[in-house]
Amino acid sequence: MSADRLPQEAPRPSDDPYWRELISQIGSDIGQSLTSALERVTALATTGKIDRAGLKALRDEIDRARRAGMIGQQMARYASGRIRQVPEQLSLTTLMREILVQRGREASARNLQIRQSLRPVDVIADATLLHALAQAVMDWSLELSRSTLELRVELKSWPAHALLVCRFDHVSEHAVPEEVVARTDHVALLDTMSWRLVQQIARTLQLGVDRVDGPRDCVLTIEFPRTVSDQLEGVSAVEIDPGFAASENSKPLAGSHVLVVAARRDLRNDVREATRHMGLLVDFVNSVDEAEEFVRDALPHAIVYESALAGDRFQRLCEGILGEVPNFVFIEIAEEGDGFQLSSDNDQRRASVGRNAVQESLPSALLFELSRTA
């Protein structure tokens, strides 16, 4: 087992054993890759021939050397202590989902099966560093996984900290027991430069890191002490730790498409103002007729509608959409009131926001509903 408990300060350059080991590993990775590449270049110069497989191997060896050097540069930057972090409220769930989509083709090319279980959880962290950490975790797990890669976002019961859990098989599931036993040095196998980068970014973010190495698989758990606390029943409230404020760049739903169906101009203006900071793509229509025409070509991710327009025709529109997308998000703006109610799996299938609470509560309702169904 390899573990770093939170909070853990990044090793300083004066911590000689750590840095000697790291520098030795960087030199070894670069040296081995370039030595192999040089042998291939020498063979090419001698014979004047190289087949497609040899050319690919040469490219891969040069790329490995280049990557080791780049990781070394990144780690030096993270360890310098000069990185200025800007804590924001971020959806860990949305980030991991986007990265899984982005890296899906790479996983398929390696014949890896990806399993995911992503609970809606928000954390407080620097957006750039959190994205770098998630990518580093994917780099490390994809380069070592042999069959199955599992990613989970969970919430500990106590303390209420978000957990990012990554599990993968570093030995093929088809390997016979003798082959598994023979690989006794699995810890060294897993301690790649990509792993070193995961460690360094996590330390810079002051996150807890726990890694359990088995003969067949590895389980990495990253714990986020700055997790948005639950204030409503099963709902992540939009509340940030004292001392940190949501910045203009805190947009966990950036790119999501919302259609607003409202006849009243003042209501449309309030919705526009309430969602301005969220990075959403918001379209407005004045009637159910216009809404029907709008969704004919493509569905948005959610529809926010004025309750006065929720007649039979609008209900038929909703039923048609739900027949295609059972978990589609609808949020009703009630005629009056200053509270809001989220959807449930029981009778309350749609969220509702009071007219007087649009500015304060509509962003929270959109955050929860879109995270729940994404």
Side-chain angles (χ1 to χ4, degrees):
M1 177 187 294
S2 166
D4 300 325
R5 296 298 181 182
L6 76 163
Q8 180 167 343
E9 191 174 322
R12 300 178 183 277
S14 59
D15 296 336
D16 288 344
Y18 174 85
W19 291 103
R20 279 201 302 267
E21 181 183 351
L22 179 59
I23 292 170
S24 174
Q25 184 172 354
I26 293 174
S28 176
D29 282 13
I30 294 176
Q32 289 177 10
S33 297
L34 291 183
T35 297
S36 297
L38 181 59
E39 290 174 354
R40 294 186 187 279
V41 171
T42 302
L44 173 61
T46 302
T47 64
K49 297 180 180 179
I50 187 170
D51 58 17
R52 182 173 297 178
L55 184 60
K56 181 181 184 303
L58 176 61
R59 185 181 295 113
D60 290 344
E61 286 153 359
I62 294 174
D63 187 63
R64 277 196 296 270
R66 176 175 173 271
R67 174 167 169 74
M70 291 176 62
I71 289 178
Q73 290 178 327
Q74 288 177 284
M75 292 187 65
R77 176 172 171 266
Y78 291 132
S80 68
R82 294 192 297 269
I83 292 181
R84 180 178 176 271
Q85 297 189 44
V86 181
E88 304 180 19
Q89 178 174 326
L90 303 167
S91 171
L92 180 61
T93 309
T94 301
L95 172 63
M96 294 310 302
R97 186 174 292 116
E98 290 174 349
I99 287 179
L100 282 171
V101 171
Q102 178 186 348
R103 307 294 293 269
R105 182 173 296 181
E106 182 180 348
S108 297
R110 301 186 185 200
N111 295 318
L112 300 179
Q113 179 184 5
I114 294 185
R115 299 170 183 166
Q116 56 178 296
S117 176
L118 307 177
R119 175 174 177 172
V121 175
D122 282 16
V123 298
I124 305 300
D126 178 88
T128 301
L129 283 178
L130 184 60
H131 187 271
L133 175 66
Q135 290 285 15
V137 169
M138 289 300 294
D139 287 341
W140 175 63
S141 56
L142 285 174
E143 79 181 31
L144 294 171
S145 179
R146 294 293 173 263
S147 56
T148 303
L149 170 59
E150 180 182 351
L151 283 166
R152 304 195 305 273
V153 173
E154 302 174 346
L155 190 65
K156 285 176 61 175
S157 57
W158 183 261
H161 291 173
L163 301 176
L164 173 60
V165 182
C166 174
R167 179 201 164 276
F168 59 86
D169 301 317
H170 56 78
V171 174
S172 172
E173 60 184 2
H174 302 298
V176 298
E178 290 78 8
E179 293 174 331
V180 176
V181 173
R183 295 187 62 180
T184 56
D185 198 18
H186 53 265
V187 174
L189 170 76
L190 296 166
D191 285 343
T192 64
M193 286 300 299
S194 294
W195 166 248
R196 300 290 192 183
L197 184 60
V198 171
Q199 279 185 308
Q200 190 65 59
I201 301 174
R203 285 166 174 164
T204 304
L205 284 165
Q206 294 188 301
L207 306 180
V209 177
D210 183 77
R211 198 184 92 189
V212 179
D213 304 333
R216 277 188 178 272
D217 64 359
C218 175
V219 181
L220 168 66
T221 303
I222 299 177
E223 182 171 345
F224 294 78
R226 292 174 181 162
T227 299
V228 178
S229 59
D230 289 351
Q231 298 294 327
L232 303 175
E233 297 179 357
V235 179
S236 292
V238 180
E239 182 172 297
I240 297 180
D241 290 349
F244 296 104
S247 78
E248 293 296 324
N249 296 321
S250 180
K251 300 177 181 180
L253 300 179
S256 295
H257 187 191
V258 176
L259 175 65
V260 179
V261 187
R264 295 160 53 185
R265 178 178 297 178
D266 62 331
L267 177 56
R268 294 198 299 272
N269 288 338
D270 283 350
V271 172
R272 182 181 291 108
E273 188 63 30
T275 59
R276 185 185 304 277
H277 69 285
M278 301 181 71
L280 298 167
L281 175 61
V282 183
D283 282 301
F284 296 85
V285 296
N286 298 321
S287 65
V288 178
D289 284 348
E290 293 180 7
E292 288 177 333
E293 183 176 351
F294 189 96
V295 304
R296 188 170 294 126
D297 295 329
L299 286 177
H301 295 103
I303 292 179
V304 176
Y305 63 95
E306 183 179 358
S307 61
L309 299 178
D312 292 341
R313 189 169 180 180
F314 183 78
Q315 294 304 321
R316 287 195 296 272
L317 173 64
C318 294
E319 290 169 4
I321 294 174
L322 291 171
E324 182 178 344
V325 184
N327 293 322
F328 190 86
V329 172
F330 291 97
I331 299 178
E332 179 182 36
I333 306 297
E335 283 295 308
E336 56 186 23
D338 55 7
F340 76 101
Q341 185 174 9
L342 299 174
S343 64
S344 69
D345 293 330
N346 300 318
D347 296 334
Q348 182 66 24
R349 301 301 299 272
R350 302 179 190 177
S352 177
V353 176
R355 176 66 183 86
N356 300 327
V358 169
Q359 292 281 352
E360 178 181 340
S361 301
L362 182 58
S364 300
L366 282 166
L367 180 63
F368 175 74
E369 297 294 332
L370 286 170
S371 297
R372 177 182 61 82
T373 59

